[in-house]
Protein backbone atom coordinates (compact mmCIF):
# COMPACT_ATOMS: atom_id res chain seq x y z
CA UNK A 1 0.00 0.00 0.00
CA UNK A 2 1.31 3.45 -0.90
CA UNK A 3 2.75 5.52 1.94
CA UNK A 4 2.15 9.22 2.36
CA UNK A 5 5.36 11.20 2.14
CA UNK A 6 6.43 12.64 5.48
CA UNK A 7 5.08 16.17 5.82
CA UNK A 8 6.51 19.18 7.62
CA UNK A 9 4.38 22.11 8.68
CA UNK A 10 5.14 25.64 9.83
CA UNK A 11 8.69 25.74 8.46
CA UNK A 12 10.16 28.83 6.86
CA UNK A 13 11.72 28.48 3.42
CA UNK A 14 15.15 28.89 5.04
CA UNK A 15 14.42 26.01 7.43
CA UNK A 16 13.16 23.87 4.56
CA UNK A 17 16.29 24.39 2.49
CA UNK A 18 18.52 23.54 5.45
CA UNK A 19 16.56 20.35 6.12
CA UNK A 20 16.75 19.35 2.46
CA UNK A 21 20.48 20.06 2.42
CA UNK A 22 21.00 17.64 5.31
CA UNK A 23 18.71 14.98 3.81
CA UNK A 24 20.32 15.18 0.35
CA UNK A 25 23.67 14.17 1.88
CA UNK A 26 22.25 11.21 3.79
CA UNK A 27 23.12 7.64 2.80
CA UNK A 28 19.51 6.97 1.84
CA UNK A 29 17.76 10.31 1.26
CA UNK A 30 13.98 10.28 1.51
CA UNK A 31 11.38 12.54 -0.10
CA UNK A 32 9.76 15.21 2.05
CA UNK A 33 6.74 17.50 1.70
CA UNK A 34 6.64 21.00 3.15
CA UNK A 35 3.16 22.45 3.57
CA UNK A 36 2.60 26.19 2.94
CA UNK A 37 6.33 26.81 2.87
CA UNK A 38 6.14 29.24 -0.08
CA UNK A 39 2.60 30.48 0.55
CA UNK A 40 4.12 33.91 1.22
CA UNK A 41 5.18 34.21 -2.42
CA UNK A 42 3.15 36.86 -4.27
CA UNK A 43 2.57 34.46 -7.17
CA UNK A 44 0.90 31.97 -4.81
CA UNK A 45 -1.26 34.70 -3.35
CA UNK A 46 -2.38 35.69 -6.85
CA UNK A 47 -3.17 32.08 -7.78
CA UNK A 48 -5.23 31.60 -4.63
CA UNK A 49 -7.35 34.63 -5.51
CA UNK A 50 -8.22 33.52 -9.05
CA UNK A 51 -6.83 32.08 -12.27
CA UNK A 52 -7.04 35.49 -13.93
CA UNK A 53 -5.07 37.14 -11.11
CA UNK A 54 -2.40 34.45 -11.46
CA UNK A 55 -2.10 34.99 -15.22
CA UNK A 56 -1.97 38.74 -14.79
CA UNK A 57 0.80 38.34 -12.22
CA UNK A 58 2.93 36.33 -14.66
CA UNK A 59 2.30 38.89 -17.40
CA UNK A 60 4.00 41.52 -15.24
CA UNK A 61 7.34 39.79 -15.87
CA UNK A 62 6.79 38.54 -19.43
CA UNK A 63 9.34 39.80 -21.98
CA UNK A 64 7.83 38.05 -25.03
CA UNK A 65 10.60 35.47 -25.20
CA UNK A 66 9.90 32.51 -27.47
CA UNK A 67 9.14 29.32 -25.54
CA UNK A 68 8.34 25.72 -26.42
CA UNK A 69 5.19 23.97 -25.31
CA UNK A 70 3.53 20.61 -25.94
CA UNK A 71 -0.06 20.02 -26.97
CA UNK A 72 -2.04 16.81 -27.21
CA UNK A 73 -5.60 15.98 -28.17
CA UNK A 74 -8.26 15.84 -25.48
CA UNK A 75 -8.77 12.11 -26.11
CA UNK A 76 -5.45 11.43 -24.35
CA UNK A 77 -6.78 13.14 -21.20
CA UNK A 78 -3.56 15.06 -20.67
CA UNK A 79 -1.26 12.03 -20.72
CA UNK A 80 1.82 13.13 -22.64
CA UNK A 81 3.29 9.85 -23.82
CA UNK A 82 4.07 7.66 -26.83
CA UNK A 83 1.61 6.66 -29.51
CA UNK A 84 0.63 2.99 -29.84
CA UNK A 85 3.80 2.15 -31.81
CA UNK A 86 6.14 3.56 -29.12
CA UNK A 87 8.13 5.12 -31.99
CA UNK A 88 6.27 8.44 -32.06
CA UNK A 89 4.89 10.81 -29.45
CA UNK A 90 1.18 11.35 -28.92
CA UNK A 91 1.72 15.11 -28.71
CA UNK A 92 3.24 17.94 -30.74
CA UNK A 93 5.83 20.53 -29.84
CA UNK A 94 5.07 24.14 -30.72
CA UNK A 95 7.13 27.32 -30.59
CA UNK A 96 5.05 30.05 -29.04
CA UNK A 97 5.08 32.77 -26.40
CA UNK A 98 4.12 32.70 -22.76
CA UNK A 99 1.33 35.22 -23.37
CA UNK A 100 -0.28 32.87 -25.90
CA UNK A 101 -0.14 29.96 -23.43
CA UNK A 102 -1.73 32.09 -20.73
CA UNK A 103 -4.47 33.18 -23.12
CA UNK A 104 -5.27 29.56 -23.96
CA UNK A 105 -5.29 28.55 -20.31
CA UNK A 106 -7.81 31.29 -19.55
CA UNK A 107 -10.12 30.05 -22.31
CA UNK A 108 -12.13 27.10 -20.93
CA UNK A 109 -13.30 25.96 -24.37
CA UNK A 110 -9.72 25.74 -25.70
CA UNK A 111 -8.59 23.83 -22.62
CA UNK A 112 -11.39 21.31 -23.13
CA UNK A 113 -10.25 20.63 -26.70
CA UNK A 114 -6.61 19.93 -25.97
CA UNK A 115 -3.97 19.81 -23.26
CA UNK A 116 -1.09 22.26 -23.25
CA UNK A 117 2.07 21.91 -21.22
CA UNK A 118 5.17 24.06 -21.01
CA UNK A 119 7.88 22.13 -19.21
CA UNK A 120 11.18 23.13 -17.62
CA UNK A 121 11.56 26.65 -19.03
CA UNK A 122 14.29 28.64 -17.30
CA UNK A 123 12.77 31.44 -15.24
CA UNK A 124 15.60 33.84 -15.92
CA UNK A 125 14.87 33.47 -19.63
CA UNK A 126 11.08 33.67 -19.77
CA UNK A 127 10.26 35.78 -16.69
CA UNK A 128 13.22 37.99 -15.72
CA UNK A 129 12.90 39.64 -12.30
CA UNK A 130 10.27 37.10 -11.20
CA UNK A 131 12.67 35.67 -8.62
CA UNK A 132 13.11 39.05 -6.99
CA UNK A 133 9.67 38.47 -5.43
CA UNK A 134 9.51 34.65 -5.42
CA UNK A 135 12.65 32.73 -4.51
CA UNK A 136 14.30 30.24 -2.17
CA UNK A 137 17.53 30.82 -0.19
CA UNK A 138 19.49 27.92 -1.68
CA UNK A 139 22.59 28.02 0.57
CA UNK A 140 25.67 27.05 -1.44
CA UNK A 141 23.80 25.40 -4.33
CA UNK A 142 23.51 27.07 -7.72
CA UNK A 143 20.27 25.56 -8.96
CA UNK A 144 18.61 25.66 -12.33
CA UNK A 145 15.27 27.33 -11.63
CA UNK A 146 12.47 26.46 -14.06
CA UNK A 147 8.78 27.10 -14.65
CA UNK A 148 6.27 24.37 -15.54
CA UNK A 149 2.89 25.61 -16.73
CA UNK A 150 -0.23 24.06 -18.24
CA UNK A 151 -3.72 22.72 -17.74
CA UNK A 152 -4.67 19.18 -16.70
CA UNK A 153 -1.78 16.90 -17.58
CA UNK A 154 0.04 13.75 -16.62
CA UNK A 155 3.78 13.13 -16.79
CA UNK A 156 4.86 9.49 -16.92
CA UNK A 157 7.01 8.18 -14.09
CA UNK A 158 10.66 9.01 -14.70
CA UNK A 159 13.82 9.86 -12.76
CA UNK A 160 16.10 12.90 -12.84
CA UNK A 161 19.78 13.01 -12.04
CA UNK A 162 19.73 16.31 -10.08
CA UNK A 163 18.28 16.87 -6.64
CA UNK A 164 14.93 18.61 -6.85
CA UNK A 165 12.78 20.98 -4.82
CA UNK A 166 9.47 21.55 -6.59
CA UNK A 167 7.16 24.33 -5.43
CA UNK A 168 3.51 24.33 -6.48
CA UNK A 169 2.35 27.89 -7.14
CA UNK A 170 -0.98 27.31 -8.91
CA UNK A 171 -3.41 24.39 -9.13
CA UNK A 172 -2.97 21.01 -7.48
CA UNK A 173 -0.57 18.18 -8.19
CA UNK A 174 -0.40 14.56 -7.11
CA UNK A 175 3.08 13.05 -6.89
CA UNK A 176 3.74 9.31 -6.75
CA UNK A 177 7.35 8.43 -5.97
CA UNK A 178 9.36 5.21 -6.16
CA UNK A 179 12.81 4.33 -4.87
CA UNK A 180 15.46 3.77 -7.58
CA UNK A 181 15.69 0.02 -6.83
CA UNK A 182 12.10 -0.49 -8.08
CA UNK A 183 13.11 0.15 -11.69
CA UNK A 184 12.27 -3.41 -12.84
CA UNK A 185 8.72 -3.12 -11.51
CA UNK A 186 8.22 0.17 -13.36
CA UNK A 187 9.04 -1.27 -16.79
CA UNK A 188 11.21 1.52 -18.24
CA UNK A 189 10.75 2.25 -21.93
CA UNK A 190 13.10 3.01 -24.83
CA UNK A 191 16.30 4.92 -24.14
CA UNK A 192 16.95 6.10 -27.71
CA UNK A 193 13.60 7.87 -28.09
CA UNK A 194 11.86 9.33 -25.06
CA UNK A 195 8.87 11.66 -24.68
CA UNK A 196 10.84 14.48 -23.09
CA UNK A 197 14.48 13.43 -22.71
CA UNK A 198 14.18 11.02 -19.79
CA UNK A 199 13.43 7.29 -19.77
CA UNK A 200 9.83 6.79 -18.65
CA UNK A 201 7.76 3.99 -17.19
CA UNK A 202 5.57 2.34 -19.82
CA UNK A 203 2.79 1.63 -17.30
CA UNK A 204 -0.44 3.59 -17.63
CA UNK A 205 -1.04 4.54 -14.00
CA UNK A 206 -4.72 5.17 -14.73
CA UNK A 207 -5.32 1.63 -16.01
CA UNK A 208 -2.28 -0.60 -15.37
CA UNK A 209 -2.24 -3.80 -17.40
CA UNK A 210 -1.57 -6.49 -14.78
CA UNK A 211 -0.82 -9.08 -17.45
CA UNK A 212 1.75 -7.01 -19.33
CA UNK A 213 3.18 -5.39 -16.19
CA UNK A 214 2.77 -7.97 -13.39
CA UNK A 215 5.47 -6.47 -11.15
CA UNK A 216 3.90 -3.00 -11.10
CA UNK A 217 1.59 -3.90 -8.21
CA UNK A 218 4.70 -4.46 -6.11
CA UNK A 219 5.97 -1.01 -7.06
CA UNK A 220 2.68 0.57 -6.00
CA UNK A 221 2.80 -1.22 -2.65
CA UNK A 222 6.17 0.39 -1.96
CA UNK A 223 5.38 3.81 -3.45
CA UNK A 224 5.06 7.18 -1.73
CA UNK A 225 2.45 9.78 -2.58
CA UNK A 226 1.62 13.40 -1.84
CA UNK A 227 -1.13 15.84 -2.78
CA UNK A 228 0.26 19.35 -3.13
CA UNK A 229 -1.63 22.63 -3.21
CA UNK A 230 -0.43 26.17 -3.96
CA UNK A 231 2.28 27.11 -1.47
CA UNK A 232 3.43 23.50 -0.87
CA UNK A 233 6.82 22.12 -1.86
CA UNK A 234 8.26 18.64 -2.27
CA UNK A 235 11.85 17.40 -2.13
CA UNK A 236 12.53 14.62 -4.65
CA UNK A 237 15.91 12.95 -4.12
CA UNK A 238 18.17 12.33 -7.08
CA UNK A 239 17.24 9.23 -9.14
CA UNK A 240 13.85 8.69 -7.47
CA UNK A 241 11.15 7.86 -9.98
CA UNK A 242 8.20 10.24 -9.88
CA UNK A 243 4.84 10.33 -11.63
CA UNK A 244 3.09 13.71 -11.63
CA UNK A 245 -0.56 14.46 -12.30
CA UNK A 246 -1.85 18.04 -12.51
CA UNK A 247 -5.54 18.20 -11.78
CA UNK A 248 -6.60 21.84 -12.19
CA UNK A 249 -7.49 23.92 -15.23
CA UNK A 250 -4.38 26.03 -14.60
CA UNK A 251 -1.31 24.51 -12.95
CA UNK A 252 2.12 25.98 -12.36
CA UNK A 253 5.19 24.71 -10.59
CA UNK A 254 8.64 26.19 -10.01
CA UNK A 255 11.44 23.74 -9.41
CA UNK A 256 15.05 23.97 -8.30
CA UNK A 257 17.48 21.42 -9.73
CA UNK A 258 21.06 21.05 -8.55
CA UNK A 259 23.88 18.51 -8.54
CA UNK A 260 26.51 17.88 -5.88
CA UNK A 261 29.18 17.10 -8.46
CA UNK A 262 30.65 19.54 -10.98
CA UNK A 263 29.28 19.44 -14.51
CA UNK A 264 32.70 18.69 -16.01
CA UNK A 265 32.45 15.14 -14.64
CA UNK A 266 29.76 14.48 -17.25
CA UNK A 267 26.42 12.70 -17.15
CA UNK A 268 26.09 9.12 -15.89
CA UNK A 269 23.56 8.52 -18.67
CA UNK A 270 26.37 8.76 -21.23
CA UNK A 271 28.25 5.98 -19.44
CA UNK A 272 25.08 3.89 -19.27
CA UNK A 273 24.44 4.09 -23.00
CA UNK A 274 28.05 3.23 -23.81
CA UNK A 275 27.95 0.31 -21.34
CA UNK A 276 24.79 -1.03 -22.99
CA UNK A 277 26.52 -0.80 -26.35
CA UNK A 278 29.86 -2.32 -25.39
CA UNK A 279 28.97 -4.67 -22.53
CA UNK A 280 25.27 -5.45 -22.83
CA UNK A 281 25.76 -7.85 -25.76
CA UNK A 282 28.68 -9.83 -24.34
CA UNK A 283 28.36 -13.48 -23.25
CA UNK A 284 27.04 -13.87 -19.72
CA UNK A 285 30.39 -14.92 -18.26
CA UNK A 286 32.06 -11.80 -19.62
CA UNK A 287 29.25 -9.58 -18.40
CA UNK A 288 29.65 -10.99 -14.90
CA UNK A 289 33.39 -10.30 -15.09
CA UNK A 290 32.70 -6.69 -16.07
CA UNK A 291 30.18 -6.41 -13.26
CA UNK A 292 32.96 -7.30 -10.82
CA UNK A 293 35.22 -4.72 -12.43
CA UNK A 294 32.55 -2.01 -12.22
CA UNK A 295 31.88 -2.94 -8.61
CA UNK A 296 35.59 -2.57 -7.85
CA UNK A 297 36.21 0.71 -9.64
CA UNK A 298 32.84 2.49 -9.50
CA UNK A 299 30.49 1.13 -6.86
CA UNK A 300 32.93 0.38 -4.04
CA UNK A 301 34.85 3.10 -2.22
CA UNK A 302 38.32 1.65 -2.73
CA UNK A 303 41.29 3.78 -1.70
CA UNK A 304 43.71 2.20 -4.23
CA UNK A 305 46.39 2.75 -1.60
CA UNK A 306 48.62 0.20 -3.32
CA UNK A 307 49.07 2.69 -6.20
CA UNK A 308 51.39 5.66 -5.79
CA UNK A 309 49.41 8.94 -5.63
CA UNK A 310 51.15 10.40 -8.69
CA UNK A 311 50.06 7.39 -10.75
CA UNK A 312 46.36 7.35 -9.79
CA UNK A 313 45.11 9.37 -12.76
CA UNK A 314 41.33 8.92 -13.10
CA UNK A 315 41.32 6.83 -9.89
CA UNK A 316 42.30 9.89 -7.84
CA UNK A 317 40.88 13.38 -7.51
CA UNK A 318 39.59 14.59 -10.87
CA UNK A 319 39.70 18.31 -11.56
CA UNK A 320 38.41 20.03 -14.69
CA UNK A 321 41.72 19.76 -16.53
CA UNK A 322 41.99 16.02 -15.92
CA UNK A 323 38.31 15.55 -16.84
CA UNK A 324 38.95 17.27 -20.18
CA UNK A 325 41.97 15.03 -20.79
CA UNK A 326 39.95 11.87 -20.03
CA UNK A 327 37.11 12.95 -22.32
CA UNK A 328 39.62 13.70 -25.10
CA UNK A 329 41.12 10.23 -24.71
CA UNK A 330 37.64 8.67 -24.84
CA UNK A 331 36.78 10.62 -27.98
CA UNK A 332 39.95 9.43 -29.68
CA UNK A 333 39.21 5.82 -28.80
CA UNK A 334 35.56 6.05 -29.87
CA UNK A 335 36.39 7.74 -33.14
CA UNK A 336 38.99 5.09 -33.86
CA UNK A 337 36.43 2.25 -33.75
Amino acid sequence: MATQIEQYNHLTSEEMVKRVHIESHADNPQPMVFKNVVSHWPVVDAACRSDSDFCEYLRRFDVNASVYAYTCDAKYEGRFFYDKSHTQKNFSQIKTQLSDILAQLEEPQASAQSSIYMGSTTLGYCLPNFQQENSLPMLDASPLVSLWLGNRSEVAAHYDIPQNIACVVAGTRRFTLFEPNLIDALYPGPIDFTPAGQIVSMVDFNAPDKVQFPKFEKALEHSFFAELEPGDAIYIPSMWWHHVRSTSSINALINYWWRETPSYLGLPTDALIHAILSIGHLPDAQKQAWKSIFDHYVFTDNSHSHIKPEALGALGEVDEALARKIRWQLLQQLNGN
Side-chain angles (χ1 to χ4, degrees):
M1 185 175 181
T3 302
Q4 187 172 14
I5 297 173
E6 185 172 4
Q7 295 187 357
Y8 294 86
N9 299 304
H10 312 299
L11 292 185
T12 66
S13 55
E14 290 84 358
E15 291 169 335
M16 175 188 71
V17 169
K18 290 178 181 178
R19 191 174 291 268
V20 167
H21 179 77
I22 294 171
E23 186 67 26
S24 66
H25 289 83
D27 291 338
N28 183 26
Q30 298 293 301
M32 297 181 289
V33 166
F34 302 89
K35 301 295 291 183
N36 296 309
V37 71
V38 294
S39 57
H40 62 284
W41 283 2
V43 66
V44 175
D45 180 63
C48 290
R49 289 197 303 269
S50 68
D51 287 347
S52 59
D53 282 356
F54 167 74
C55 292
E56 282 303 313
Y57 184 83
L58 291 192
R59 290 187 180 102
R60 284 179 45 197
F61 305 95
D62 186 17
V63 292
N64 296 319
S66 296
V67 298
Y68 288 95
Y70 308 111
T71 62
C72 72
D73 192 271
K75 68 181 181 180
Y76 295 112
E77 299 181 337
R79 187 179 184 230
F80 290 80
F81 196 62
Y82 294 101
D83 67 3
K84 292 182 178 180
S85 73
H86 298 167
T87 62
Q88 301 293 327
K89 302 171 183 178
N90 71 349
F91 58 92
S92 301
Q93 184 184 66
I94 59 172
K95 187 176 183 180
T96 182
Q97 292 184 322
L98 184 63
S99 58
D100 294 330
I101 297 175
L102 293 174
Q104 180 171 338
L105 291 175
E106 287 184 293
E107 178 53 57
Q109 184 176 0
S111 295
Q113 294 173 349
S114 65
S115 298
I116 187 166
Y117 172 69
M118 184 187 79
S120 191
T121 302
T122 305
L123 265 180
Y125 168 75
C126 66
L127 296 175
N129 301 320
F130 177 90
Q131 292 185 78
Q132 292 182 7
E133 297 184 6
N134 310 269
S135 65
L136 291 180
M138 287 300 293
L139 298 178
D140 56 350
S142 298
L144 176 67
V145 187
S146 301
L147 171 66
W148 307 69
L149 177 67
N151 50 23
R152 292 180 179 87
S153 60
E154 179 182 348
V155 177
H158 64 285
Y159 63 85
D160 296 308
I161 296 172
Q163 306 279 0
N164 186 6
I165 295 177
C167 306
V168 174
V169 297
T172 56
R173 270 178 161 82
R174 180 182 175 90
F175 289 80
T176 307
L177 274 61
F178 306 85
E179 294 188 73
N181 61 10
L182 289 171
I183 180 172
D184 287 347
L186 291 170
Y187 298 90
I191 64 171
D192 305 292
F193 177 70
T194 63
Q198 291 297 102
I199 301 169
V200 302
S201 168
M202 300 302 287
V203 181
D204 182 352
F205 279 39
N206 299 304
D209 186 330
K210 295 183 179 180
V211 175
Q212 187 176 11
F213 307 115
K215 299 179 184 178
F216 180 65
E217 190 170 351
K218 170 192 172 184
L220 280 181
E221 290 174 355
H222 293 85
S223 65
F224 295 81
F225 74 92
E227 300 273 1
L228 270 65
E229 298 177 345
D232 297 342
I234 183 171
Y235 163 60
I236 303 176
S238 169
M239 304 304 291
W240 274 63
W241 291 78
H242 48 288
H243 173 275
V244 187
R245 181 179 289 115
S246 304
T247 58
S248 304
S249 57
I250 295 182
N251 299 274
L253 177 146
I254 294 171
N255 86 302
Y256 294 72
W257 269 328
W258 74 98
R259 294 176 61 187
E260 283 87 4
T261 55
S263 59
Y264 61 73
L265 293 180
L267 292 173
T269 308
D270 297 337
L272 170 66
I273 294 173
H274 192 204
I276 292 172
L277 174 67
S278 58
I279 299 174
H281 304 284
L282 293 174
D284 286 344
Q286 293 181 36
K287 283 198 287 189
Q288 289 303 314
W290 278 106
K291 183 177 183 298
S292 298
I293 292 173
F294 270 72
D295 285 341
H296 176 80
Y297 285 107
V298 179
F299 301 112
T300 302
D301 189 17
N302 288 313
S303 65
H304 307 294
S305 58
H306 57 287
I307 302 175
K308 291 186 179 297
E310 59 270 23
L312 283 173
L315 298 177
E317 293 293 328
V318 178
D319 58 16
E320 186 169 4
L322 180 55
R324 289 181 178 275
K325 178 181 178 182
I326 293 171
R327 284 203 303 271
W328 182 85
Q329 292 172 336
L330 285 172
L331 285 172
Q332 299 306 304
Q333 294 168 2
L334 290 171
N335 290 333
N337 291 333

